[in-house]
Amino acid sequence: AQKITQTQPGMFVQEKEAVTLDCTYDTSDPSYGLFWYKQPSSGEMIFLIYQGSYDQQNATEGRYSLNFQKARKSANLVISASQLGDSAMYFCAMREGRGNRDDKIIFGKGTRLHILP
Amino acid sequence: DARVTQTPRHKVTEMGQEVTMRCQPILGHNTVFWYRQTMMQGLELLAYFRNRAPLDDSGMPKDRFSAEMPDATLATLKIQPSEPRDSAVYFCASGPLGGGNTGELFFGEGSRLTVL
């Protein structure tokens, strides 16, 4: 069963608008972490933001924020005031495991975001 | 500037040939992951190591893929024999997992494999 689901294969958004990229996850582990990575056309993978399952507040990093809804098992990425340079593939990922023992990190299939001028 | 180094960056080979991809993780990182990226499947986890010990390679086709970490500075992913369906970008990533770390991964630039 898919553990990380990104339902939007592609999105087109006008520059300066806010963007929400969806991510839902499935785990029975009470301790887990959620990540978003950006992959521009150059192919590199860039870490954007992290949310721990026990974190009380939603994570924020500059224009990025993570809308963490634990009961719904969703971890949507919000990009405020989008820019042309935000055009890229975005991956949601989850770390699950039992603390130090065997954490593994799995990724969703990604959402390709196009910012229109 | 510490980074994960992967070689080769590009590889074109013929079906049936052996392919070996190498990764030098960031010094001090205790966990190394191998992922395969395709358009259809996104980033699939193939295998990962903690302190050089293999923890899970259930994502790999066992009959043709093998992953090893002969020392702390080298991880290898081998395909023998290669098939056209193995064409993909293979990423190595390392990170300091456990001990309160978040699990942020540092990725190499990837090895783009084309099997003809």
Side-chain angles (χ1 to χ4, degrees), chain B:
Chain B
D1 185 25
R3 56 179 178 167
V4 176
T5 304
Q6 287 186 249
T7 57
R9 292 291 315 281
H10 302 273
K11 175 75 173 179
V12 179
T13 191
E14 294 191 344
M15 184 172 65
Q17 295 298 305
E18 178 179 301
V19 176
T20 298
M21 289 168 274
R22 294 177 174 81
C23 169
Q24 180 176 4
I26 292 174
L27 192 64
H29 283 181
N30 63 354
T31 308
V32 175
F33 292 81
W34 282 104
Y35 294 94
R36 175 170 64 183
Q37 184 178 14
T38 60
M39 292 284 290
M40 295 300 296
Q41 299 300 325
L43 273 164
E44 298 174 274
L45 176 62
L46 296 177
Y48 70 110
F49 297 80
R50 173 74 47 81
N51 297 321
R52 294 179 52 206
L55 288 187
D56 187 348
D57 61 0
S58 58
M60 291 199 313
K62 296 289 190 308
D63 55 338
R64 299 185 300 108
F65 283 59
S66 61
E68 294 180 347
M69 200 161 176
D71 63 61
T73 64
L74 177 65
T76 62
L77 180 67
K78 188 175 296 186
I79 309 174
Q80 168 63 20
S82 58
E83 297 181 1
R85 59 180 166 155
D86 301 329
S87 298
V89 179
Y90 291 80
F91 281 101
C92 174
S94 72
L97 269 71
N101 291 299
T102 63
E104 176 188 346
L105 291 181
F106 297 78
F107 280 79
E109 293 180 296
S111 294
R112 181 175 294 277
L113 173 65
T114 303
V115 183
L116 304 174

Side-chain angles (χ1 to χ4, degrees), chain A residues 32-112:
Chain A
Y32 55 91
L34 298 155
F35 307 81
W36 280 91
Y37 286 82
K38 173 184 179 181
Q39 186 181 44
S41 57
S42 56
E44 63 197 293
M45 292 287 287
I46 302 168
F47 166 76
L48 294 178
I49 197 167
Y50 167 80
Q51 179 86 42
S53 59
Y54 294 122
D55 293 345
Q56 295 296 311
Q57 295 194 320
N58 287 345
T60 61
E61 288 286 348
R63 293 186 300 113
Y64 304 109
S65 60
L66 200 152
N67 184 1
F68 181 44
Q69 298 190 38
K70 197 169 182 176
R72 301 171 81 172
K73 293 190 174 179
S74 78
N76 297 342
L77 177 70
V78 180
I79 306 174
S80 63
S82 59
Q83 302 171 357
L84 295 178
D86 294 332
S87 294
M89 180 74 89
Y90 289 81
F91 290 98
C92 180
M94 176 174 67
R95 184 200 77 238
E96 60 174 359
R98 297 195 176 276
N100 297 341
R101 289 184 56 80
D102 59 355
D103 290 4
K104 68 160 70 170
I105 297 176
I106 56 174
F107 285 75
K109 293 190 177 184
T111 295
R112 185 166 294 282

